[in-house]
Amino acid sequence: MLVSELMSSDPLTIPSVAPLQRAEAELRLSRIRHLPVVDAKGRLCGVLSAFDVAKALAKTPGARVAEVMSAAVVTVREDVPASAAARLMLRRKVGSLPVVDATGALVGLLTETDFLRVAAQALECKPLRRR
């Protein structure tokens, strides 16, 4: 199974210049825990977690996404085996991997929840359903 078979395509993103309050609202309303951060040209430049947002809002309510995001982003390509991506997430202790193409453009997001869905379906002996 490849990353492309598990990832969420066209993930919700947030601009690096957006206020943290907007990020918090996006995360809460979409019921997600990770937001890929993009620059003015739409290129991936970081990842923002719900935990990082909550912690930063308590200290600096007027902060921008760029001030809080993790800029050292671990990414994966869509043609990588899902097992290798899972090992990478475990080794790097990250809850999500932005999926990029050969040019570095964001094409999806792979999360812990994607792997839990596969595990649950395997335990039930049901065929994998895509979102």
Side-chain angles (χ1 to χ4, degrees):
M1 179 177 286
L2 299 176
V3 165
S4 61
E5 298 172 71
L6 294 181
M7 71 180 196
S8 298
S9 299
D10 194 29
L12 181 63
T13 62
I14 193 157
S16 59
V17 296
L20 276 184
Q21 289 88 350
R22 176 176 163 200
E24 189 276 331
E26 294 280 3
L27 289 161
R28 183 176 28 83
L29 293 173
S30 299
R31 299 178 65 201
I32 57 176
R33 295 178 295 163
H34 305 95
L35 269 175
V37 181
V38 294
D39 64 15
K41 295 184 179 180
R43 295 178 301 218
L44 181 70
C45 61
V47 171
L48 190 63
S49 74
F51 177 78
D52 294 335
V53 171
K55 188 169 67 170
L57 279 175
K59 293 180 182 179
T60 318
R64 299 272 175 197
V65 167
E67 299 169 50
V68 178
M69 70 181 191
S70 297
V73 183
V74 180
T75 63
V76 69
R77 299 272 300 271
E78 56 190 330
D79 59 350
V80 168
S83 59
R87 284 192 301 277
L88 178 62
M89 290 173 75
L90 288 168
R91 188 173 63 249
R92 298 297 296 268
K93 297 181 181 179
V94 295
S96 68
L97 290 173
V99 182
V100 296
D101 66 14
T103 68
L106 183 69
V107 296
L109 187 66
L110 183 65
T111 68
E112 294 166 320
T113 302
D114 296 319
F115 286 106
L116 285 173
R117 185 172 25 87
V118 170
Q121 289 172 346
L123 292 169
E124 294 173 354
C125 298
K126 291 183 179 177
L128 180 62
R129 291 183 315 222
R130 301 232 21 201
R131 286 195 252 177

